[in-house]
């Protein structure tokens, strides 16, 4: 049986690299189906945690006894992708593997030449970061409604580098939970790459998180980007799998 969660109590004691994403889904309201769901067995024990956000799912299969129910649920919700800490091939067939990386948040990452989205940021500033990093979401108004609230509540951080009105790079933490921040968006237009702009934005994000007393920051990336993040103090701690739903 799968039920929608109303608070974060079901996440208590859960150890997973996807914990921040699951918490993120709890507060997301792009449509009526978005949110955090719990799969229970007949005895009322938690089997799996499922986060739905913007047509994508995060699945932490704690005790994989009934993936058929999860698959039917995802099909009903018209889910496009599934992210998991294990390759749940019975849900999507083929999963792409990413490196899960993290580092301790420390200050003194150098001078801060970047700007931050904040309570006083203009709508145009949000639009610029959205267009650069999250344009695939397809609906700026829904994204802005959720993300600006997270910024205002201190549950998200966005750093961007701009010069003469041109946005050179941005780094975005979309959610913070349990002392961990998830770096889920980093992008520099091809014409401005290899100038260290993305690194500056990430360092600025880390400095901001340090000010907020956040303990760790994590991300997942493709294999060819591992060296870039290692140079910024991140280390590989496991794997994350993302599959396209049929």
């Amino acid at each position: 049986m799968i039920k929608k969660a109303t608070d974060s109590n079901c996440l208590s004691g859960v150890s997973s690299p996807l914990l921040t994403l699951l918490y993120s889904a709890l507060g997301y309201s792009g449509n009526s189906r978005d949110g955090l769901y719990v799969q229970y067995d007949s005895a009322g024990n938690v089997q799996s945690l499922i986060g739905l956000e913007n047509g994508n799912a995060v699945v932490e299969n704690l005790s994989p006894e009934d993936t058929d129910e999860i698959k039917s649920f995802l099909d009903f919700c018209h889910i496009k992708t599934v992210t998991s800490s294990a390759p749940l091939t019975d849900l999507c067939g083929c999963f792409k593997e990413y490196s899960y990386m993290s580092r301790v948040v420390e200050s003194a990452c150098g001078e801060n030449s970047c700007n931050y989205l904040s309570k006083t940021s203009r709508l145009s500033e949000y639009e610029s970061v959205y267009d650069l990093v999250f344009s695939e979401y397809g609906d700026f108004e829904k994204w802005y409604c959720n993300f600006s609230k997270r910024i205002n509540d201190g549950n998200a951080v966005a750093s961007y580098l701009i010069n003469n009105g041109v946005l050179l790079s941005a780094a975005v933490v979309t959610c913070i939970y349990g002392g961990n921040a998830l770096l889920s968006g980093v992008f520099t237009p091809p014409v401005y790459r290899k100038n260290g702009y993305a690194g500056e934005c990430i360092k600025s994000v880390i400095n901001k998180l340090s000010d907020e007393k956040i303990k760790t920051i994590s991300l997942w990336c493709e294999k060819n980007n591992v060296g870039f993040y290692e140079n910024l103090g991140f280390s590989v701690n496991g794997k994350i799998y993302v599959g396209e739903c049929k």
Side-chain angles (χ1 to χ4, degrees):
M1 178 173 56
I2 296 176
K3 289 185 176 182
K4 195 169 188 177
T6 57
D7 54 47
S8 61
N9 289 339
C10 59
L11 300 177
S12 179
V14 175
S15 178
S16 166
L18 300 174
L19 193 58
T20 310
L21 266 186
L22 290 166
Y23 178 76
S24 173
L26 180 65
Y28 195 82
S29 56
N31 61 62
S32 59
R33 290 173 180 165
D34 286 336
L36 178 63
Y37 294 80
V38 185
Q39 182 192 38
Y40 299 94
D41 63 15
S42 57
N45 300 310
V46 176
Q47 295 292 101
S48 301
L49 298 169
I50 306 164
L52 302 187
E53 187 172 332
N54 196 44
N56 302 293
V58 180
V59 177
E60 186 57 68
N61 225 17
L62 304 179
S63 181
E65 293 184 3
D66 193 354
T67 54
D68 287 340
E69 182 185 31
I70 297 176
K71 189 176 188 306
S72 297
F73 175 71
L74 298 181
D75 288 343
F76 174 78
C77 294
H78 305 292
I79 297 303
K80 296 176 290 187
T81 67
V82 175
T83 301
S84 174
S85 57
L88 304 177
T89 54
D90 48 347
L91 293 183
C92 287
C94 182
F95 274 70
K96 186 173 181 179
E97 183 180 279
Y98 294 85
S99 296
Y100 172 68
M101 307 185 72
S102 64
R103 62 158 285 173
V104 174
V105 169
E106 298 172 335
S107 59
C109 282
E111 296 183 6
N112 184 9
S113 56
C114 298
N115 298 320
Y116 296 106
L117 290 181
S118 67
K119 293 180 180 180
T120 60
S121 294
R122 298 184 300 273
L123 182 65
S124 60
E125 295 175 81
Y126 277 93
E127 286 181 314
S128 295
V129 172
Y130 172 83
D131 289 341
L132 184 65
V133 183
F134 295 113
S135 58
E136 74 275 7
Y137 271 58
D139 192 325
F140 170 74
E141 290 186 3
K142 288 182 179 179
W143 177 87
Y144 172 75
C145 180
N146 282 277
F147 192 70
S148 61
K149 184 179 186 304
R150 293 182 186 183
I151 290 287
N152 294 342
D153 293 343
N155 290 323
V157 176
S159 171
Y160 62 96
L161 188 61
I162 191 167
N163 184 36
N164 293 326
V166 177
L167 192 61
L168 303 177
S169 187
V172 181
V173 164
T174 51
C175 191
I176 299 169
Y177 176 71
N180 182 64
L182 178 65
L183 182 65
S184 56
V186 179
F187 192 78
T188 303
V191 68
Y192 300 123
R193 291 175 185 172
K194 299 188 184 299
N195 290 296
Y197 298 147
E200 286 188 48
C201 289
I202 294 170
K203 290 175 182 178
S204 294
V205 162
I206 292 172
N207 280 338
K208 184 70 171 178
L209 294 172
S210 176
D211 292 341
E212 301 298 327
K213 310 302 181 185
I214 305 303
K215 297 177 182 178
T216 60
I217 180 171
S218 60
L219 59 90
W220 41 90
C221 65
E222 295 182 336
K223 185 177 181 180
N224 60 333
N225 289 326
V226 168
F228 167 76
Y229 288 106
E230 286 180 332
N231 288 335
L232 292 170
F234 289 83
S235 58
V236 176
N237 292 322
K239 301 293 182 182
I240 296 293
Y241 302 85
V242 180
E244 299 285 338
C245 293
K246 297 180 180 179

